Amino acid sequence: MVLAAAVCAAALAALTAVPAQAHPRPRWDVKDTGISDVRFRGLAAVSRHTAWVAGTGGTVLRTTDGGDTWRDVSPPDAGGLEFRDIEAFDARRAVALTIGEGEASRVYRTDDGGATWTESFRNTDARAFYDCLTFFDPRHGLAMSDPVDGKFRILSTSDGGRSWKVLPDAGMPAAQTGEAGFAASGQCLVSAGPRDVWLATGGAAHARVLHSADRGLTWTAADAPIPAGDPARGVFALAFRDRAHGLAVGGDYRPEQASPRAAARTGDAGRTWRPADRPPPAYRSGVAWLPHSRTAALAVGPTGTDLTTDGGRTWRTVDTGSYDTVDCTPDLGCWAAGEQGRVARLER
């Protein structure tokens, strides 16, 4: 274990400790999933060897050998649904979210590597539309819906996703007109530590990040310097390396529209956000901190992957492949997934 940690630290140092112009270029090693007609926006990286992806057509895949082979572990009754988020605790236990209005929003859980699934939640409120979920630990988690009666709706579990309840909304600030979350990468709701959680928004006059320090009971809202003012614009993804330091990425998801100021950073748990001095050049839908680093992170989107080595102040493009979401593990197992069945693992 000590040797493995040393190897990981050395690999990370090789990427982040030299001047930007001398950095070795991170390289996505594309894995053959055997599927080309599915878009994977849900991704749960467990290790360099184990990862889960979830996407259109009710599809869920799992690998336990670093992506050399993939097993189709899709729930049998989910063919007409769209998975947009999946959270995995290990190679056997995972919780996945489908999105849509009314009963299209559902949560499934497996305890046997996807051999069987249990539908643990089905939305019965036609006004609700669930976008993302997150877990603080293997028992406690939240899911979020676009506003209902003027406030974002929060769903809570304390038994690992086996059962869910809607939290009271007394501690939730009022939503702006047109405000919503983006079910683009499973990263519009993220957590760090045992109680802190953040929610990303767009579509309204101002993009915002909402923060709760008590597992979703009370929230505060802060404006983010990422352009909004249109249903296609806002903050699409968040990543926190601890309860203070976070990154936000987004922009305008329409290919023909520019996305200036597509990234921001915070050092005070999201109370204030600062725009990147040199942001990614286009819309980005996913972001993840590189493990064991205080300054390095990846952002992905349909037009490429960007790397920061200074905590989100500046970004540079390191790959031009299309990915929607990215996730990293403590053993440097960074994975990305996206359209046309694309899944890749980061190599250096």
Side-chain angles (χ1 to χ4, degrees):
M1 185 68 70
V2 173
L3 178 60
V7 171
C8 287
L12 186 65
L15 178 65
T16 62
V18 296
Q21 63 270 22
H23 279 311
R25 183 182 293 271
R27 177 180 63 86
W28 288 118
D29 181 16
V30 179
K31 307 298 183 180
D32 183 7
T33 61
I35 293 177
S36 61
D37 59 349
V38 171
R39 189 162 196 165
F40 292 118
R41 295 185 185 268
L43 167 65
V46 176
S47 70
R48 280 186 59 81
H49 303 290
T50 299
W52 303 66
V53 291
T56 53
T59 307
V60 180
L61 305 183
R62 184 192 63 145
T63 183
T64 57
D65 57 11
D68 290 340
T69 61
W70 294 84
R71 176 173 295 180
D72 187 338
V73 294
S74 308
D77 61 341
L81 301 174
E82 288 203 17
F83 284 104
R84 292 294 181 93
D85 199 356
I86 186 166
E87 304 290 327
F89 311 116
D90 50 40
R92 297 186 61 80
R93 298 176 298 161
V95 179
L97 172 74
T98 65
I99 61 100
E101 296 178 350
E103 294 192 1
S105 287
R106 305 179 192 181
V107 178
Y108 292 81
R109 178 186 166 100
T110 182
D111 290 292
D112 54 14
T116 61
W117 293 84
T118 300
E119 182 186 304
S120 59
F121 172 77
R122 183 180 298 202
N123 174 48
T124 57
D125 190 333
R127 302 169 297 171
F129 185 116
Y130 285 85
D131 298 292
C132 293
L133 56 83
T134 189
F135 276 84
F136 304 96
D137 56 51
R139 291 186 57 83
H140 300 91
L142 301 176
M144 59 80 66
S145 163
D146 290 339
V148 176
D149 293 329
K151 294 183 177 182
F152 284 94
R153 175 169 288 181
I154 303 298
L155 201 63
S156 174
T157 181
S158 59
D159 56 10
R162 295 177 178 86
S163 64
W164 298 83
K165 64 178 180 180
V166 175
L167 292 181
D169 66 2
M172 175 66 73
Q176 303 172 89
T177 301
E179 192 172 26
F182 293 106
S185 61
Q187 295 178 321
C188 60
L189 185 72
V190 301
S191 56
R195 305 189 69 81
D196 286 275
V197 59
W198 294 263
L199 188 161
T201 83
H206 301 282
R208 300 198 297 175
V209 178
L210 281 62
H211 172 230
S212 171
D214 55 12
R215 292 184 181 165
L217 293 176
T218 60
W219 298 79
T220 56
D223 286 351
I226 292 177
D230 185 278
R233 297 179 191 155
V235 179
F236 280 71
L238 300 167
F240 277 78
R241 65 172 173 81
D242 54 39
R243 71 175 309 272
H245 298 88
L247 301 169
V249 299
D252 190 318
Y253 69 75
R254 295 170 294 189
E256 71 278 6
Q257 297 295 320
S259 290
R261 293 179 289 141
R265 67 190 192 278
T266 181
D268 58 11
R271 287 189 292 274
T272 60
W273 291 85
R274 292 171 288 176
D277 298 331
R278 189 172 74 226
Y283 157 71
R284 296 294 181 252
S285 55
V287 63
W289 289 93
L290 287 176
H292 313 297
S293 174
R294 298 173 61 85
T295 58
L298 294 169
V300 300
T303 62
T305 297
D306 303 288
L307 170 72
T308 179
T309 57
D310 55 14
R313 292 175 178 83
T314 63
W315 296 83
R316 64 187 179 96
T317 301
V318 294
D319 186 90
T320 57
S322 175
Y323 297 101
D324 293 309
T325 186
V326 59
D327 193 18
C328 295
T329 64
D331 64 349
L332 296 186
C334 288
W335 296 79
E339 62 183 343
Q340 297 179 342
R342 284 170 59 88
V343 181
R345 191 179 69 180
L346 192 69
E347 305 295 344
R348 297 183 179 87

